[in-house]
Every structure is written in C-alpha cells, then in structure tokens.
C-alpha cells in the first residue's frame, strides 16, 4: 500500500460506503485525510475488520484501513453517497450530527430540496459525480471507468472539503450554480441509465439497439434541460454518450437487474416531472419509464 501523504484535510464522514462512497473514502484515506465511513453496524464491523479493497486500473489495487463507525461524528463535514431513495431515511441522522456541510453526490435533482425540507437548517450542497464502480462484496470495490470526476457549484469550489477530494486524486471541477451542476449531469445520466437498463448492455450497444428510439429520447431530454437553463440538443447529448467507454453501464441497470430498490424515479422521473411542469411532451421518456417500472 502506498505511503499516506500528509494533508490538512478536516475530519470527513462518508455516509453510504457503497461502490462510490467506498472508492472516495479509500482514496481520501490513502492520501492521509482524516476520514471515516458511516454504515449500518454490521457493515461497519466488516469494514473495520477487513478494510476496503479497491481494484482500479486508474488508481491501482490496495486495501484501505479507513475507520468505519455506525454514527456520524458530531460536526464533521459529510459526503453523502447513499442511493437517492434513501434520502428521507438518512435525513434525521444527518440533522442530529450537525455537520458543518453536507456535500450530496446523489443522482437526480430532487434530493437536495428533499434533504432541506426534511432537515431544516442543514447546510446542503448538491454536487455530481461521474464514475462507474461496483461493490463486489461489502468490502471490495471495483472501479471500472477510466475516470472519477466530481463537479461542485462555484460557491464551494475552494472549500477544504473540495480541496481534500482533489488532493486525493479525484478530478474535481466547478460547474456554475447548484442547479446547473445537477442538471448538467442529469441530462446525460437519464438517457444513459434508461437506454443501458432497457438493453442490459453497455452504452455503445444501447445507442445502436434502436436508433430512432434513442434519438427521440435524447431530443425530449434536451428540450427539458434547455427549459431548465442548460441549452442542449439531442445531437449534443448523443455526442456525450458516444464519448463514454462503449462498455460503460449504469447503476440503475445493475439495480433493476438485481430486482431490488432502484433510482428510476430519481433519475428519469425527475426529468418527467420537470417536463410536466413546463408542458413539454415526453412520450418516449414516459413510455420507457413505464416499461422499466413493470
């Protein structure tokens, strides 16, 4: 394991040490940051006993001895990496810990407002992460994409928490307002998640499987995001998806295949709700949501 670097990072709590949270925690820990993961008691015991093993072509393979606890340390800045459907479950715990700030890296756009409503006074910042990672066991994480990128609003770009992430080797950038950051991700995440889940393939095959359906979906999503203040075209969104590794798959696809809870509503439902609020027709989007929900 590489020697840890000395940093001036604050104590950081990663709430939700799944594939994404575990990867972030392991990178911060390897860099010498004062970081803990917060998990249910059984998971916390496993991580405390075995550490978190990361397998990554980009970052290497190592086992991190990151501490794991069942409660958020009082006042610690939080990076929230649970699934979007768990927001209301975790809100009381967050509120009780009084974190100095909570950087939410959840999918979709609705979760930030939900957190603020559920935990009044909580300082929440909505950010976005682009990465493909999978948890092969509670303590083994496979980082599959050749990148891990976090985007935050301009207002927090120079904060200690964001500096710690960048120092740990994660690509970090600022992307305007909070709404711009969230919608910039959702405009490609929604079609990416829907198409890969529908075909259960990588994005390359998913785009080619039904060219007209993909084109219609991309035009609808582009119309919604344009109305939300981020001008886009279907062709531009296709270009973003075609720039991804062709084999890249979505977390929604894995969750649907597993038959458990999933983020279909948080991702695609958020676009559909925004379209309805602005009277933008989205027949292809609505049809795909219904197909996958069944």
């Amino acid at each position: 394991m590489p020697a840890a670097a000395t940093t001036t990072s604050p104590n950081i709590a990663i709430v939700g040490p799944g594939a994404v949270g575990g990867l972030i925690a392991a990178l911060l820990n390897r860099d010498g940051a004062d970081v803990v993961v917060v998990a249910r008691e059984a998971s916390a015991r496993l991580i405390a006993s075995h550490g978190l093993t990361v397998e990554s072509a980009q970052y290497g393979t190592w086992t991190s001895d990151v501490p794991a606890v069942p409660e958020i340390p009082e006042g610690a800045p939080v990076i929230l990496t649970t699934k979007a459907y768990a927001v209301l479950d975790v809100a009381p715990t967050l509120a009780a810990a009084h974190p100095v700030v909570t950087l939410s890296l959840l999918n979709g756009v609705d979760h930030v407002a939900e957190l603020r409503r559920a935990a009044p006074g909580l300082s929440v910042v909505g950010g976005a992460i682009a990465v493909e990672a999978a948890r092969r066991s509670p303590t083994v994480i496979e980082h599959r994409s050749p990148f891990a990128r976090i985007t935050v609003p301009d207002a927090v770009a120079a904060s200690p928490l964001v500096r710690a992430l960048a120092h740990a080797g994660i690509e970090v950038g600022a992307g305007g307002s909070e709404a711009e950051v969230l919608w910039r991700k959702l405009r490609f995440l929604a079609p990416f998640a829907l198409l890969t889940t529908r075909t259960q393939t990588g994005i390359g095959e998913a785009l080619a499987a039904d060219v007209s359906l993909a084109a219609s979906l991309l035009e609808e999503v582009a119309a919604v995001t344009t109305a939300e203040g981020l001008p886009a075209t279907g062709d531009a969104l296709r270009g973003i998806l075609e720039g991804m590794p062709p084999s890249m798959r979505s977390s929604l696809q894995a969750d649907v295949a597993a038959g458990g809870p999933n983020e279909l509503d948080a991702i695609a439902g958020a676009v559909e709700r925004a379209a309805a609020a602005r009277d933008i027709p989205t027949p292809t989007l609505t049809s795909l949501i219904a197909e996958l929900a069944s």
Side-chain angles (χ1 to χ4, degrees):
M1 174 176 171
T6 300
T7 74
T8 57
S9 305
N11 184 65
I12 300 168
I14 309 296
V15 178
V20 173
L23 174 64
I24 294 172
L27 287 168
L28 286 168
N29 175 259
R30 184 169 73 168
D31 191 50
D34 184 9
V35 59
V36 299
V37 297
V38 182
R40 292 185 177 90
E41 289 192 12
S43 295
R45 285 196 299 269
L46 280 172
I47 295 170
S49 297
H50 302 286
L52 284 174
T53 297
V54 174
E55 299 172 356
S56 167
Q58 180 180 4
Y59 296 114
T61 296
W62 81 100
T63 298
S64 168
D65 59 355
V66 59
V69 296
E71 301 290 341
I72 303 171
E74 176 75 20
V78 165
I79 300 176
L80 182 62
T81 56
T82 61
K83 295 289 189 177
Y85 52 75
V87 162
L88 296 182
D89 292 334
V90 77
T93 304
L94 281 170
H98 305 102
V100 62
V101 67
T102 296
L103 174 61
S104 174
L105 298 179
L106 278 56
N107 288 325
V109 296
D110 299 333
H111 58 276
V112 175
E114 290 177 353
L115 267 176
R116 288 173 178 149
R117 284 194 299 269
L122 189 68
S123 175
V124 182
V125 176
I129 185 166
V131 68
E132 183 185 6
R135 190 171 65 164
R136 293 204 279 110
S137 80
T139 62
V140 179
I141 296 159
E142 183 182 356
H143 174 216
R144 296 173 174 172
S145 57
F147 53 79
R149 304 186 189 111
I150 291 176
T151 307
V152 298
D154 290 342
V156 299
S159 68
L161 183 59
V162 173
R163 290 201 304 269
L165 290 166
H167 197 279
I170 299 170
E171 183 182 340
V172 181
S177 68
E178 182 177 83
E180 288 171 327
V181 168
L182 297 177
W183 274 101
R184 189 172 288 113
K185 177 179 179 178
L186 188 58
R187 66 181 180 177
F188 74 81
L189 176 62
F192 169 64
L194 285 169
L195 294 173
T196 55
T197 303
R198 179 177 183 268
T199 60
Q200 283 296 308
T201 66
I203 186 58
E205 288 184 52
L207 282 169
D210 189 329
V211 175
S212 62
L213 179 142
S216 178
L217 174 65
L218 291 168
E219 289 294 342
E220 291 175 6
V221 174
V224 177
T225 56
T226 297
E228 291 291 333
L230 282 174
T233 65
D235 286 343
L237 296 186
R238 175 178 282 276
I240 294 174
L241 298 183
E242 289 177 340
M244 294 178 172
S247 61
M248 191 167 178
R249 294 169 176 253
S250 67
S251 59
L252 176 65
Q253 163 182 10
D255 290 342
V256 168
N262 63 69
E263 295 181 306
L264 178 62
D265 182 70
I267 296 171
V271 180
E272 186 180 40
R273 285 188 288 276
R278 297 180 179 275
D279 293 322
I280 298 171
T282 55
T284 302
L285 172 68
T286 298
S287 175
L288 282 172
I289 291 173
E291 177 184 337
L292 297 182
S294 67

